[in-house]
Amino acid sequence: MTRAPTRLSALPSGRIEERFEDKNPRYTEAEAFAEANRCLYCVDAPCVKACPTEIDIPSFIRKIATGQVKGAARTILTANLLGQSCGQACPVEVLCAGDCVYNAWGREPIAIGRLQRYAVEAALAKDPGLLRAKPPTGRSVALVGAGPASIAAAGYLALEGHRAVILERKAIPGGLNTLGIAPYKMKGHEALRELEWVLSLGDIELRAGVSVVEQAAAPGEVSARDLLAEFDAVFLGLGLGDDARLGIPGEDGEGVVGATAFIERLKADPRLELTGVRRAAVVGGGNTALDVAHELALLGVDVAIVYRRSEAEMSGYAHELEGARVAGARLIENRVPVEVVRDGGRLVALRIAPAEARREAPQGAAPAAEELVPADLVAVAIGQSRATRVALAFEGVALDARGRVVVDPATHRTGNPRVYSGGDCVNGGKEVVNAVAEAKVAARAMHEAMMQRAGGAAPGPATQGE
């Protein structure tokens, strides 16, 4: 496989995501100092236990409070190479900050995410060389997909002295971080800036426009067999596939979009226009549905979230629903879509019906009472397909009943001893911080396996810059 590494280019201007203001702007030095001094530096630190990457949160906050911002950033990045994006996009309300002891006292928890973002951005702006790679080992790993899991794994491997080559089928790398995170949390160019930093950590190449297939037959394709022949190990960071469809009359046609595909265009495609979109219906009850509803509401669109169960049963976080409501979205519970209504091909409404009545209605009974939700746009957020074809191209890799890549939790190794996996294709769709945590496990296991095969002992942690 001979393909030149891709140099990251700036996203085009004129993207709709540029209109959004930052929900939690970066702290100033004075703000960070004041917030850090609120921390109690708990010995048992419940916030650390709630962090999938186990960042030593009291330690990095204490360093901010004592003016050691560089040390704070090193503490964060050693545990979580994507510490900047996690500081912006992590649902801290249900993770670290959600377990802050202040909550039990009815007081505002420490703003851990904002402090984390401040430390990383401030430190790297002055000294991007906080972490240094070990000498080259002569071993190499191919990482399929350029999302958070692969990016983090590549960084950890490079710090150990291994060569890492990331293969991405899309022109824009970064996966969820670049193309899927709500723009009021993080912009695409910020994700690419973080990716640039990870690429600088050692011998890492990013090759865009490359598809991994069972048998390569066209330019831009590489086979699973060839990857295993060229590299010592392979990591599958495949993410998830296309948006699921409703399967109802009228769905085909202009105005009906998959939620993740829509968010991707909103963040990266300057050609996307919302001219004429005054009302929208978002179908689903997960965090993707809440994100797209929140985004549309902030753009001045009248948004209705249609969910088949009750609010209490939603898989989306309560704080995300509240944010969407504050922006102007409303929730319609216990309703299912039955038809996309069109007038001469133009979308005009989404027809919905009571979910319970439809489930319990006897065969041949009159249809339950239906209603129309006026809409110029319908965003479907009811799940995504699995990226099974690529995974199954590797001999020995298996999927579970839900289409997720099966791995050993202790190593994230698949049924093929040289193939590892992590991120959404394994966990079914969790947070960026979960992808990083799984990438750490896999990278360490790959490192140890490669060093054992090479007949060398696995050395300790990567060298830290001074």
Side-chain angles (χ1 to χ4, degrees):
M1 180 177 60
T2 56
R3 188 181 183 89
T6 297
R7 182 180 179 85
L8 297 188
S9 57
L11 289 169
S13 59
R15 308 179 326 274
I16 289 178
E17 84 155 356
E18 294 174 314
R19 305 178 195 174
F20 291 87
E21 295 182 358
D22 198 334
K23 177 184 176 183
N24 292 308
R26 175 178 148 184
Y27 274 147
T28 64
E29 182 179 359
E31 288 170 335
F33 181 78
E35 183 65 13
N37 275 284
R38 289 183 58 230
C39 184
L40 301 175
Y41 315 120
C42 305
V43 175
D44 57 349
C47 55
V48 176
K49 298 174 184 176
C51 175
T53 55
E54 299 180 330
I55 295 173
D56 188 345
I57 295 168
S59 177
F60 94 70
I61 294 180
R62 184 186 293 273
K63 288 174 181 176
I64 293 174
T66 55
Q68 302 175 65
V69 177
K70 186 175 177 180
R74 185 180 290 122
T75 297
I76 295 164
L77 295 170
T78 300
N80 182 343
L81 281 180
L82 303 189
Q84 175 216 311
S85 56
C86 287
Q88 292 179 252
C90 256
V92 294
E93 295 87 348
V94 297
L95 294 174
C96 54
D99 271 15
C100 178
V101 296
Y102 276 133
N103 290 295
W105 302 339
R107 296 174 62 184
E108 188 71 20
I110 301 298
I112 298 171
R114 297 186 72 181
L115 286 172
Q116 181 169 311
R117 176 186 181 182
Y118 165 78
V120 174
E121 289 191 3
L124 291 183
K126 294 181 179 180
D127 180 11
L130 288 178
L131 304 178
R132 297 177 184 172
K134 294 177 182 178
T137 64
R139 318 304 276 181
S140 62
V141 178
L143 302 101
V144 183
S150 289
I151 294 168
Y156 285 118
L157 289 163
L159 288 171
E160 293 290 358
H162 307 302
R163 177 170 175 254
V165 177
I166 306 173
L167 311 174
E168 171 56 50
R169 62 182 177 84
K170 293 183 178 180
I172 301 174
L176 173 68
N177 273 14
T178 306
L179 301 172
I181 291 177
Y184 52 84
K185 297 176 183 176
M186 186 171 75
K187 305 292 193 297
H189 70 269
E190 294 173 315
L192 292 179
R193 183 180 63 204
E194 181 179 52
L195 173 55
E196 287 273 20
W197 176 75
V198 174
L199 294 177
S200 74
L201 292 176
D203 188 0
I204 306 177
E205 290 183 15
L206 171 64
R207 299 175 181 175
V210 177
S211 296
V212 177
V213 296
E214 187 172 1
Q215 293 185 342
E221 292 183 345
V222 60
S223 73
R225 184 184 298 274
D226 287 344
L227 288 183
L228 288 171
E230 180 177 350
F231 295 90
D232 296 287
V234 174
F235 178 82
L236 304 178
L238 306 174
L240 296 176
D242 295 333
D243 292 292
R245 292 169 53 84
L246 293 169
I248 59 176
E251 182 176 14
D252 295 325
E254 189 175 352
V256 179
V257 297
T260 62
F262 176 75
I263 293 173
E264 180 173 328
R265 291 197 64 198
L266 184 147
K267 290 180 67 67
D269 188 354
R271 298 168 299 177
L272 176 64
E273 297 181 357
L274 294 180
T275 306
V277 177
R278 296 178 295 110
R279 301 164 300 188
V282 177
V283 182
N287 288 312
T288 300
L290 299 181
D291 273 348
V292 74
H294 193 163
E295 291 158 9
L296 287 167
L298 288 174
L299 292 169
V301 177
D302 179 16
V303 182
I305 305 168
V306 179
Y307 180 53
R308 62 194 174 99
R309 294 196 175 105
S310 69
E311 177 178 338
E313 297 172 284
M314 294 179 76
S315 61
Y317 298 134
H319 69 272
E320 297 288 8
L321 175 58
E322 179 61 23
R325 278 176 163 155
V326 169
R330 67 187 187 280
L331 174 64
I332 302 176
E333 305 173 77
N334 299 305
R335 297 292 188 276
V336 293
V338 295
E339 181 188 4
V340 175
V341 181
R342 297 181 180 276
D343 181 4
R346 183 176 66 88
L347 192 157
V348 294
L350 179 68
R351 189 184 305 278
I352 61 176
E356 192 66 28
R358 285 183 63 83
R359 285 197 296 267
E360 295 182 352
Q363 188 173 5
E370 298 177 347
E371 55 189 302
L372 293 179
V373 179
D376 308 300
L377 177 75
V378 172
V380 182
I382 58 173
Q384 294 172 252
S385 63
R386 304 293 190 244
T388 58
R389 185 171 57 184
V390 175
L392 294 178
F394 293 85
E395 184 178 356
V397 176
L399 307 175
D400 66 12
R402 297 173 61 185
R404 299 172 299 188
V405 179
V406 177
V407 299
D408 174 1
T411 61
H412 271 257
R413 191 177 70 181
T414 69
N416 185 316
R418 292 173 54 210
V419 179
Y420 298 73
S421 188
D424 285 352
C425 65
V426 169
N427 61 45
K430 292 188 177 180
E431 308 295 342
V432 174
V433 69
N434 299 100
V436 176
E438 294 176 6
K440 284 174 62 177
V441 173
R444 184 62 189 177
M446 284 186 280
H447 166 65
E448 292 177 348
M450 289 188 294
M451 297 306 290
Q452 288 172 1
R453 285 198 295 270
T463 304
Q464 296 182 348
E466 296 300 325

